[in-house]
Amino acid sequence: MRPNIVTEAGVQTRVGQWWNAIPFLTSSVVVVCGVIYLICLLTGYDTFYEVCFLPSAIISRFQVYRFYTAIIFHGSLLHVLFNMMALVPMGSELERIMGSVRLLYLTILLATTNAILHLLIASLAGYNPFYQYDHLMNECAIGFSGILFSMIVIETSLSGVTSRSVFGLFNVPAKLYPWILLIVFQLLMTNVSLLGHLCGILSGFSYFYGLFNFLMPGSSFFTTIESASWMSSFVRRPKFIMCTGGNPSSYIPTYSAQNTTSSGFSTGNAWRSLSSWLPQREASNQSSEDSRFPGRGRTLSTTRDPTAPAGETDPNLHARLLEDSSSPDRLSDATVNTIADSRQVPIANAAVLPQSQGRVTAPEEQIQKLVAMGFDRTQVEVALAAADDDLTVAVEILMSQQA
């Protein structure tokens, strides 16, 4: 008998739950990069000269395919593990907000812009008339880290945090976090592509400040792709996330000026999309509307005039509770008065009722009041019976049932 079978089953279950929680596109990128590395390891392919990002080959032979092949190849086991472990939290977070197809488009866009910036900077450095850096034109770069740096910039810029931790060792200002990572990686690993990481940071800031807004299509573009017949096998998968995601305010985060609105992508929508996933600097003063309880919430004061009679309610309470009595999603003045009065019924009145007068069903008047508030009559009768005809308790029971 194997004594550690329980421990092994627990680890396997946790790993399975972790993997199942990763959305479709992010897990697909992890699988593709991992499989490609294993194939290269088994076949002994380790030069990567035909697939890496090589500025001289792109310019001389117009090998644009290197823009995209370079990001899925990795040079070592540590290289692919580090990049994929960094991708899982950031990619999963963005995919849940944007949707699988939208994040795929963003990844391709970042890969393209990173490559173009890399090519421009290498060409300027290699062919300038003052001092030529020829090694930049012949640098063979591979790996997903350039896109990861772009995602780090987007996440850090929109998170609202003031500081970030570098590997849990020390904290740095959030605005400097991508640049600190760039320096740390360059000092710890001399064989990394400084220009590739730098272009990833520049693309991330360009995207965040709205320079790529004209390249971002509207939601109908992604909806059309998702509804295509050739996408049906992917859309049916449980980890696939639609662009709408059930949240109409889930848009790609972009930057825009305070008084400027873009087509489909606004800072307000972006902030609401990321607020549930990213840490915030401070809580918002305006609570968002809950779809279960239509209308805007009110904070009611519990203070009461001590000189007022016991059976009377504070008239200011009604004014704070109702902003527009004509609105169909708010209570009427008569209903609020009745509920408030029911809370102030003197206890002496309860003693006047004969003990032999046992009520089996709730009074029709109370039932009509709660039905007028929008509750189902059957649920109202059950709630009043459970609350012993206490109107306040019955309302609480009905509201908890809706929740």
Side-chain angles (χ1 to χ4, degrees):
M1 179 180 294
R2 299 171 61 183
N4 59 344
I5 186 171
V6 176
T7 304
E8 291 180 358
V11 173
Q12 182 179 3
T13 301
R14 288 194 294 268
V15 172
Q17 291 175 348
W18 172 79
W19 178 254
N20 291 331
I22 303 176
F24 176 76
L25 179 65
T26 304
S27 59
S28 299
V29 173
V30 173
V31 170
V32 169
C33 292
V35 169
I36 289 178
Y37 173 74
L38 289 178
I39 293 175
C40 293
L41 186 64
L42 295 176
T43 58
Y45 181 74
D46 57 358
T47 60
F48 305 107
Y49 182 80
E50 293 81 9
V51 295
C52 68
F53 186 86
L54 189 61
S56 59
I58 295 174
I59 293 177
S60 61
R61 294 189 289 273
F62 199 67
Q63 296 178 346
V64 184
Y65 67 89
R66 294 177 181 267
F67 285 16
Y68 312 104
T69 56
I71 65 176
I72 58 177
F73 282 84
H74 294 81
S76 65
L77 179 61
L78 182 62
H79 189 196
V80 66
L81 283 179
F82 191 88
N83 281 354
M84 294 303 102
M85 292 302 294
L87 169 67
V88 166
M90 287 189 296
S92 300
E93 177 180 315
L94 292 176
E95 186 171 355
R96 292 187 184 101
I97 297 172
M98 303 177 185
S100 301
V101 176
R102 197 191 300 265
L103 181 61
L104 176 62
Y105 180 88
L106 176 62
T107 303
I108 296 174
L109 176 63
L110 291 176
T112 305
T113 54
N114 289 357
I116 293 175
L117 288 174
H118 192 154
L119 194 62
L120 290 176
I121 296 176
S123 300
L124 292 176
Y127 298 119
N128 71 86
F130 305 102
Y131 187 83
Q132 298 181 354
Y133 295 88
D134 295 334
H135 67 281
L136 294 179
M137 293 296 298
N138 299 315
E139 181 183 68
C140 187
I142 56 174
F144 206 80
S145 54
I147 296 178
L148 289 177
F149 267 89
S150 299
M151 291 183 175
I152 289 173
V153 171
I154 296 172
E155 180 197 18
T156 304
S157 300
L158 293 175
S159 64
V161 296
T162 57
S163 63
R164 300 299 291 266
S165 175
V166 180
F167 304 123
L169 301 177
F170 55 91
N171 293 333
V172 297
K175 294 181 179 180
L176 301 178
Y177 179 67
W179 304 103
I180 297 296
L181 284 182
L182 178 68
I183 297 174
V184 169
F185 280 123
Q186 196 63 31
L187 294 177
L188 295 179
M189 295 171 282
T190 56
N191 61 336
V192 300
S193 175
L194 173 64
L195 188 55
H197 293 172
L198 175 62
C199 292
I201 293 177
L202 296 179
S203 291
F205 277 114
S206 299
Y207 167 75
F208 172 70
Y209 285 109
L211 300 182
F212 297 157
N213 282 355
F214 69 99
L215 297 173
M216 305 306 301
S219 299
S220 59
F221 173 79
F222 302 107
T223 304
T224 303
I225 295 178
E226 291 173 344
S227 60
S229 58
W230 58 272
M231 282 288 296
S232 59
S233 59
F234 300 104
V235 174
R236 286 196 298 265
R237 295 184 178 272
K239 299 204 297 182
F240 188 92
I241 299 178
M242 305 291 288
C243 287
T244 56
N247 183 4
S249 62
S250 296
Y251 298 103
I252 292 183
T254 55
Y255 173 89
S256 61
Q258 183 175 0
N259 297 327
T260 304
T261 58
S262 58
S263 58
F265 308 105
S266 63
T267 305
N269 289 332
W271 183 253
R272 287 193 296 270
S273 299
L274 286 178
S275 61
S276 60
W277 302 99
L278 302 179
Q280 299 182 7
R281 183 181 293 109
E282 60 182 4
S284 174
N285 294 330
Q286 213 172 17
S287 60
S288 59
E289 180 178 328
D290 195 334
S291 59
R292 298 173 299 177
F293 310 110
R296 287 174 291 177
R298 300 289 188 273
T299 302
L300 304 181
S301 174
T302 58
T303 60
R304 184 175 178 271
D305 187 4
T307 63
E312 295 182 5
T313 58
D314 185 5
N316 294 330
L317 177 64
H318 304 156
R320 290 192 297 270
L321 181 63
L322 291 177
E323 180 183 77
D324 185 6
S325 59
S326 62
S327 177
D329 61 350
R330 291 170 174 81
L331 303 179
S332 63
D333 287 326
T335 305
V336 174
N337 290 337
T338 304
I339 296 176
D341 292 339
S342 66
R343 298 174 182 174
Q344 304 293 336
V345 174
I347 300 179
N349 294 342
V352 176
L353 294 176
Q355 295 182 357
S356 61
Q357 189 179 354
R359 289 173 295 176
V360 179
T361 60
E364 183 66 23
E365 183 181 1
Q366 290 185 345
I367 295 177
Q368 292 299 331
K369 291 174 184 176
L370 294 180
V371 171
M373 294 169 61
F375 297 112
D376 181 71
R377 182 181 179 88
T378 304
Q379 295 180 351
V380 167
E381 293 177 352
V382 174
L384 283 172
D388 196 16
D389 294 344
D390 190 323
L391 197 61
T392 304
V393 177
V395 170
E396 294 177 355
I397 294 175
L398 291 170
M399 297 299 287
S400 64
Q401 289 177 351
Q402 287 191 355

